[in-house]
Structures are given as C-alpha cells and as structure tokens.
C-alpha cells in the first residue's frame, strides 16, 4: 500500500521514530518528515530508517528537520513530542510540561499545515488533545487522540494470555480517558465472536481490567521510560485508516459535544476514522455501572482541563484552511 501521501511526525524520540519506522516498512505513505528540537537526533534516525527501506522495497522518502516549513502539505501530523513518564509518575504528572510543548507545536502546525489531520500521542493524552483543539481552533474531526486502540490492545493481549488460546482473535473495547480511570468494557469484548463473559468469570475479568489500567505503568517500572512499540502500532493503525479513508471503528480521544451526556471535554469513545479524520462518533448504550465508570474518567480529565484553564492555555483561534 504505497500512497502518494505525506505524514509529519513531531518528536523523533522512541514513539515518533517507531511510528516512522513502521510507516516506512509498511509503505503506508510516500513521504515522512520527522521534526525534533534536537535536529541531529531526527536526522540520524531518519537516515537510519531510510537505509532500511531498500531491502523492504519501500519507496517512502524520509526527511528530518527542525524547521516547520517542511511540514507543508502534510496529510497527517502526529505529535509525539514531550516528556515521557519515569517510574512512580502518573501520566497526569506530565501535564504542565507537555501541555506547553503541545501548545507551541500546534501553533506551528496550524500555520504550516492547516489542513492536516492531527493525531496527538503526547501524555496526558486527553488534556493535550483538548489543548491542541482549543489552541489551534480546529473543528473536532481534525484532531484525534491516540490511546483507546493502545489500551484495547493491552486488554486483548491480557485476555489471550489468561485464556491460553485465541491469540490474535480477541477484540476488546476500552473507552474513557488514557489514565487509571479508563473504562475497559468486558461486555463489548469477545474472542472470534464468543463473548468474553462466557469464557471467563467475574473475578478473572476484574483482574484483566486492573492489569489493563496499569499496563503502561508496569512497562515504565521495568524500563524507566514509557512504552513505544504498542503506542506506535496504535498510531499507525489510525494513520492508515485516515490515509486509506477506511471508515474503520476505533476507540479514540475526541471532543465530546453532548455525546454520552458530556460537552466541552475530551474523552475516549468509539469513532469512525476516514479521510476527514473523525467521520462519526459512535454512542454505545452503556449500563449503569459503565456510565458511572465513564463519569469518573470524565471527572479526572476535567480536573486536568481546569488546571490548564486556570493557566490560560485555551486562547481560541480559527483555523484557516
Ligand atoms: N519540539 C519538538 N520536539 C520536542 C519538543 C518540542 N518542543 N520537546 C521535546 N521534543 C522531543 C524530544 O527532543 C524527544 O526527542 O520529543 C521527543 C520525545 O521522545 P522521548 O523522550 O523518547 O519520549 P517518547 O517515549 O517518544 O514519548 C513521547 O508520547 O507516549 C507519550 O508519554 C509519552 O508524552 C510522551 C510522548
């Protein structure tokens, strides 16, 4: 699938470079621009990835820069720039540092690639997605947070490990914010069509839900920095759905405007991804306990947004296409 498309990745760290590598190896687009404050890092990684393209028969062109004029005409811009977690930190502990970084970056993106669909990856994800939307003055279809696919893929892995079968056949669904209050939905999870609730008992499912919630922290505990292979994989799934106008359903962070009973906040819900970014928001009929969990998640994100509001992060501008 080599498409005449351009993707720019802001942040050439672990997540950003892994997204680039994956896109180049899968021939998902024609051109990739990787931007980092540390220009040498972006240049070195871009060169390294470029030198891996030939054996794969990939025609994807790699370009590294610290100059935002190079992102012009991008179809998609992915923001992975920021500070990752250290052991003992929650994603929320990154709020002030990373929201400032995303604010600076989105102003450049808005200026040089105003029509690009923006995918945010920087944590705390829901708050940085809201920052990008508000600071950039974007319509909500154009800025999408990556997290639900990652949380769902963590849950899927845990389910197949617990069962000892069904590897690669599990579909799990995780709604909510990308934090400890995320909402793994066992009712909407299955193994090749067989309901999870018919395969595992309540206690086993609860154990999987807890491990899913703390899946990212477990990895930070082992490596001293946050995960990047699975986050990059989830980002690539979103990029390919948008570039290919797939109209595929994925859980993603989006601005809610009355859906699920909430307004003016970002949270993770199932959306349809296509050429316009978010083509549609899907409203699942949640039961009472799921509604309560989702409300908790919305409250957690809202308390981060309140902190940002008190720091005047959200001066609105209109995006000129
Ligand atoms: N502009 C451009 N690049 C920046 C900026 C900026 N203003 N600030 C930081 N960077 C770059 C850093 O130079 C670094 O190369 O962002 C990169 C971040 O890379 P890593 O430190 O390796 O972090 P990574 O693991 O990729 O995580 C990035 O994604 O999953 C989230 O929680 C994670 O918020 C973190 C982000």
């Amino acid at each position: 699938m080599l498409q005449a498309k351009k993707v720019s990745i802001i942040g050439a760290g672990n997540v950003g470079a892994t997204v680039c590598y994956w896109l180049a190896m899968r021939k998902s687009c024609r051109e990739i621009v990787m931007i980092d404050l540390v220009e040498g890092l972006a240049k070195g990684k871009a060169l390294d990835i470029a030198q891996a393209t030939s054996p794969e028969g990939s025609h994807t062109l790699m370009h590294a820069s610290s100059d935002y004029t190079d992102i012009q005409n991008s179809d998609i811009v992915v923001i992975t720039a920021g500070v990752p977690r250290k052991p003992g930190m929650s994603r929320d502990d990154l709020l002030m540092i990373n929201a400032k970084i995303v604010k600076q970056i989105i102003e450049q993106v808005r200026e040089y690639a105003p029509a690009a669909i923006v995918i945010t990856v920087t944590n705390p994800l829901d708050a940085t997605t809201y920052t990008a939307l508000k600071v950039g003055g974007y319509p909500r279809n154009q800025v999408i947070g990556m997290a639900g696919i990652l949380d769902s893929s963590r849950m899927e892995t845990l389910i197949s490990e617990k069962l000892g079968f069904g590897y690669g056949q599990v579909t799990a669904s995780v709604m909510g914010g990308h934090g400890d209050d995320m909402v793994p939905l066992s009712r909407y999870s299955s193994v090749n069509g067989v309901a999870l609730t018919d395969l595992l008992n309540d206690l086993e499912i609860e154990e999987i839900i807890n491990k899913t919630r703390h899946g990212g922290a477990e990895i930070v505990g082992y490596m001293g920095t946050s995960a990047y292979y699975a986050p990059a994989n989830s980002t690539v799934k979103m990029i390919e759905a948008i570039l290919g106008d797939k109209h595929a359903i994925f859980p993603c962070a989006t601005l809610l405007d009355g859906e699920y009973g909430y307004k003016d906040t970002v949270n993770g819900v199932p959306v349809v991804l296509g050429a316009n970014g978010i083509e549609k928001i899907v409203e699942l009929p949640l039961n009472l306990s799921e509604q309560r969990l989702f409300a908790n998640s919305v409250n957690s994100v809202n308390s981060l947004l309140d902190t940002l509001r008190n720091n005047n992060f959200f001066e609105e501008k209109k995006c000129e296409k």
Side-chain angles (χ1 to χ4, degrees):
M1 171 174 83
L2 180 67
Q3 305 190 15
K5 299 283 185 179
K6 175 171 174 178
V7 177
S8 293
I9 315 282
I10 319 299
N14 285 334
V15 178
T18 311
V19 171
C20 288
Y21 178 71
W22 207 305
L23 290 176
M25 294 305 101
R26 288 173 60 80
K27 312 169 185 89
S28 309
C29 57
R30 176 72 177 126
E31 187 182 354
I32 301 172
V33 173
M34 190 155 54
I35 294 220
D36 201 283
L37 268 186
V38 186
E39 196 176 356
L41 180 80
K43 279 198 186 306
K45 288 190 180 181
L47 207 55
D48 193 9
I49 294 168
Q51 290 165 359
T53 52
S54 178
E56 289 306 311
S58 168
H59 293 67
T60 301
L61 301 173
M62 296 292 310
H63 180 70
S65 178
S66 56
D67 178 356
Y68 279 87
T69 60
D70 289 329
I71 71 169
Q72 285 179 43
N73 301 317
S74 295
D75 296 283
I76 297 180
V77 174
V78 182
I79 302 179
T80 72
V83 174
R85 282 196 279 174
K86 298 267 179 299
M89 286 174 93
S90 77
R91 294 182 185 91
D92 298 354
D93 293 333
L94 305 171
L95 178 67
M96 295 315 296
I97 303 171
N98 282 351
K100 261 187 208 151
I101 291 173
V102 169
K103 184 174 179 175
Q104 287 162 4
I105 290 171
I106 205 69
E107 282 166 351
Q108 302 294 315
V109 174
R110 190 180 161 276
E111 179 155 2
Y112 294 107
I117 305 292
V118 176
I119 298 176
T120 45
V121 179
T122 304
N123 276 314
L125 191 271
D126 305 274
T128 60
T129 304
Y130 187 91
T131 300
L133 275 157
K134 291 293 162 177
V135 173
Y138 285 101
R140 70 169 170 167
N141 62 295
Q142 212 179 327
V143 179
I144 316 157
M146 183 293 296
I149 306 177
L150 169 63
D151 296 326
S152 302
S153 73
R154 285 187 171 142
M155 184 169 171
E156 287 163 5
T157 309
L158 289 162
I159 290 169
S160 39
E161 279 170 1
K162 183 78 192 171
L163 289 171
F165 59 80
Y167 296 91
Q169 291 187 298
V170 181
T171 307
S173 185
V174 179
M175 277 181 59
H178 188 46
D180 294 348
D181 294 318
M182 67 180 72
V183 187
L185 295 171
S186 50
R187 246 170 19 100
Y188 288 99
S189 304
S190 63
V191 186
N192 205 15
V194 181
L196 184 64
T197 41
D198 289 336
L199 295 169
L200 294 173
N201 64 36
D202 289 352
L203 216 63
E204 291 168 322
I205 290 175
E206 203 46 46
E207 187 195 339
I208 286 170
I209 288 175
N210 279 329
K211 283 191 174 168
T212 302
R213 289 201 172 111
H214 301 109
E218 185 183 359
I219 294 174
V220 176
Y222 292 135
M223 322 200 279
T225 191
S226 51
Y228 46 99
Y229 292 113
N233 172 285
S234 304
T235 309
V236 169
K237 290 275 171 293
M238 293 171 68
I239 293 171
E240 291 184 346
I242 295 164
L243 294 183
D245 193 23
K246 290 186 180 173
H247 286 242
I249 291 195
F250 289 117
C252 295
T254 185
L255 186 73
L256 297 177
D257 187 25
E259 294 85 5
Y260 294 91
Y262 300 96
K263 266 181 179 277
D264 196 30
T265 188
V266 165
N267 215 287
V269 298
V271 302
V272 174
L273 291 186
N276 298 306
I278 293 178
E279 305 282 353
K280 180 181 164 60
I281 294 177
V282 177
E283 285 196 76
L284 299 177
L286 300 181
N287 65 27
L288 266 183
S289 118
E290 291 159 349
Q291 284 173 33
R292 246 182 258 126
L293 291 170
F294 191 64
N296 268 347
S297 180
V298 170
N299 288 340
S300 301
V301 173
N302 280 345
S303 73
L304 298 181
L305 299 185
D306 284 343
T307 307
L308 291 176
R309 279 189 194 101
N310 295 337
N311 284 279
N312 300 319
F313 266 83
F314 308 129
E315 304 146 36
E316 298 210 17
K317 290 176 191 159
K318 277 281 153 254
C319 187
E320 288 165 27
K321 285 219 169 183

